[in-house]
Amino acid sequence: MTPIDVAFFFFLIVTGLAGIGILLTRNVIHAAMLLVIVLLGVAGLYVLFRAEFAAVVQVLIYAGGIVVLIAFGVMLTNRPENGKLMTGNHLVLPALLVSSGLFYYLVQGIQLLDPIATQQVAKLPEDQVEYIGAAFMTDYIVAFELIAFILLVVLVGAAYLAKHHSRL
Amino acid sequence: MIDFATYGMYLAAMLFCLGLAIMIVKRNMIFVLIGVELILNAANLNMVIFSRNDPNLGGQIFTIFSIVIAAAEVTVALAIALNVYKYYKTSDLDEVNELKH
């Protein structure tokens, strides 16, 4: 086991356990904090899969932005009972059936893949940030501009929706 | 040589199924949003894994687009959740059962 293998299995196990923890916990704040662990673990896996830029974006936007938003959402939309933010479960059996069945078929599908082909690593650009920046401005310029426009619309729309209105 | 990619795909499949289960099981609006985030992360993880074989980094670039879309989605969803809470005074999705304004 090289140190990279150890890091890989560390991130794999931590991410998986934190994901299971979100399903099992009934406390909303605990779920939000476990979500941080899942997102950071996935960011670590991004680094090991040689996607450093995506890892940085994941930490900045997900672990930094979305989790804070979700924490605000928890505080604004939940009323504590006995000092705890608990939530109930329903439809446990159908959910387990559907998700475990789907997992079974996904695993079957993954096992069909050629393991030699999936282990190949192409010669990636030396400076990924520079390459991705150039790609955004050339090949992906339409998608880049569209996503900038969507972000602007979402910002204005969310601010309008969350504003206090006498009538919705 | 450990096959990283296959283990990563198993984890992505597991995160997807966990997200689906959370979306079905939990009765709280915020919990359902967390499930959606897990599903989006599973998709991103798969794209990053396969991006390793692509010298043009297509998967990684689309992961970044997908992360931005996820940020937009969660912002609007929270604004809607806030309004639903203001109107119904509850965040339990079972009690939000009428469309009447």
Side-chain angles (χ1 to χ4, degrees), chain A residues 34 41-42 44-45 53 57 59 61 63 71 84 92-93 127 134 143 163:
Chain A
L34 285 167
V42 171
L45 289 174
F53 188 64
V57 171
V59 172
I61 296 185
K84 285 202 169 132
V92 176
L93 200 62
D127 190 344
K163 204 174 69 173

Side-chain angles (χ1 to χ4, degrees), chain A residues 12-28:
Chain A
L12 206 69
I13 290 166
V14 165
T15 310
L17 286 181
I20 294 170
I22 298 177
L23 182 60
L24 295 182
T25 183
R26 294 180 62 217
N27 190 319
V28 190

Side-chain angles (χ1 to χ4, degrees), chain A residues 25 39 62 78 90 120 161, chain B residues 25-26 28 37 41 53 83:
Chain A
T25 183
L39 298 173
Y62 262 116
N78 285 279
H90 65 170
Q120 278 173 356
L161 274 180
Chain B
V25 163
K26 301 293 179 184
N28 190 298
E37 295 306 315
N41 251 284
N53 297 347
N83 274 331

